[in-house]
């Protein structure tokens, strides 16, 4: 438990050496401006307009924000409140869930997946657990705060429903057959709660380094504190937190299924010295043994750009190479 940043950082005046990133990876002392061009999609607009806007955002940016999405503001607010309460609990209560076991499904840990072997640590603590099917996993979730399971359970169901709705819009935009994104491709849902405590020197460290997601789709609620940045056209763009909006990232699997027509978004999380930041992330992924490959109907040239693979094999390779998103996809490309 002593490793958790939230445990020891409250009195830290300087950064430990093993949290300082190399100069070419640091966010630096200047503040990245919030980008005004990131797509904000109103899901209450006409169906045809929404399909086209989402498809364009997935092709051009690999990410977008959604508003009027149908998830209750009360559910969102209650969930953010309860996850913040979790990280504010006494250390001995969080310790029950602390683990560095890579295969433990519900756990609290710090930095990345392999703290003991990391040269540089990330300035974040993380609580994560599977949440679909809910009945199979909810008994493993934290028992404190006492309303955690009830509140977060409702949230995970609503966000999954929203994710499947957006995948259906993308399916239509790509011209895939009805039912394409069935249980095999979307059967795994993981909830990941990131907590980034106040940092004495945000210019030297990162909450999360540059990466792209391995999944099909990521839906993030980032609260009201700035910190998410997306890499596009050789520069970092700040993603403004909009009230009760969700940020949607396209993952590697959707880039592969679309045969490269859609792009997975490279992003990172920065810290700040003024206040802690807590975010709630839902990852929708294929089941481990699902075969993923480009959909036949999107291969315009008749030549797939990526070879088939089992998702569990892809994820294992991703964990080894995720600091280099291009290398991950390059490994699965079919060479001419």
């Amino acid at each position: 438990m002593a490793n958790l940043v939230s445990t020891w950082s409250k009195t830290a005046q300087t950064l430990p050496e093993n949290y300082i990133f190399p100069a070419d990876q640091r966010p630096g002392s200047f503040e990245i401006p919030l980008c005004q061009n990131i797509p904000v999609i109103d899901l209450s607009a006409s169906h045809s307009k929404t399909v086209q806007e989402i498809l364009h955002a997935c092709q051009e940016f690999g990410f977008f924000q959604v508003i009027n999405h149908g998830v209750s503001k009360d559910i969102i607010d209650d969930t953010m409140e309860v996850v913040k309460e979790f990280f504010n609990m006494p250390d001995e209560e969080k310790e029950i869930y602390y683990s560095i076991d890579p295969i433990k499904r519900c756990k609290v840990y710090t930095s990345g997946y392999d703290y003991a072997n990391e040269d540089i640590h990330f300035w974040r603590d993380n609580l994560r657990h599977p949440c679909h099917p809910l009945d199979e996993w909810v008994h493993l979730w934290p028992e404190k705060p006492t309303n955690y399971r009830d509140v977060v359970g409702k949230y995970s169901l609503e966000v999954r429903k929203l994710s499947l709705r957006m995948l259906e819009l993308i399916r239509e935009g790509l011209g895939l057959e009805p039912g394409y994104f069935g249980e095999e491709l979307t059967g795994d849902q993981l909830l990941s709660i990131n907590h980034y405590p106040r940092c004495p020197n945000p210019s030297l460290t990162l909450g999360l380094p540059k990466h792209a997601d391995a999944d099909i789709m990521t839906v993030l609620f980032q609260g009201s504190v700035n910190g998410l940045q997306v890499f596009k056209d050789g520069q970092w763009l700040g993603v403004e937190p909009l009230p009760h909006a969700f940020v949607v990232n396209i993952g590697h699997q959707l880039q592969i299924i679309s045969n490269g027509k859609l792009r997975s978004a490279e992003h990172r999380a920065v810290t700040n010295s003024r206040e802690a930041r807590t975010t709630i992330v839902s990852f929708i992924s294929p089941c481990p043994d699902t075969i993923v490959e480009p959909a036949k109907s999107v291969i315009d040239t008749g030549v797939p750009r990526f070879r088939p693979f089992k998702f569990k094999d892809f994820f294992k390779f991703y964990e080894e190479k995720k600091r280099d998103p291009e290398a991950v996809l390059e490994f699965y490309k079919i060479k001419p």
Side-chain angles (χ1 to χ4, degrees), residues 284-300:
I284 300 291
S285 301
C287 297
D289 288 316
T290 298
I291 301 295
V292 180
E293 60 186 327
K296 293 179 175 57
S297 57
V298 300
I299 305 174
D300 296 334

Side-chain angles (χ1 to χ4, degrees), residues 225-280:
V225 182
N226 295 341
L228 174 64
Q229 296 177 351
V230 179
F231 195 68
K232 185 179 186 297
D233 298 330
Q235 63 179 331
W236 287 105
L237 307 173
V239 182
E240 181 180 7
L242 301 178
H244 297 103
F246 289 105
V247 178
V248 181
N249 290 351
I250 298 307
H252 282 322
Q253 303 310 299
L254 199 47
Q255 180 167 342
I256 290 165
I257 287 167
S258 69
N259 206 36
K261 290 186 175 182
L262 310 184
R263 53 179 293 182
S264 52
E266 297 180 356
H267 52 287
R268 70 182 183 184
V270 297
T271 64
N272 70 75
S273 59
R274 298 178 299 276
E275 56 186 322
R277 177 172 179 259
T278 303
T279 65
I280 309 167

Side-chain angles (χ1 to χ4, degrees), residues 303-319:
V303 180
R305 294 181 58 192
F306 301 94
R307 57 186 173 87
F309 53 82
K310 284 187 177 181
F311 178 69
K312 64 182 180 183
D313 297 330
F314 180 98
F315 191 77
K316 181 179 179 181
F317 182 73
Y318 167 87
E319 284 300 300

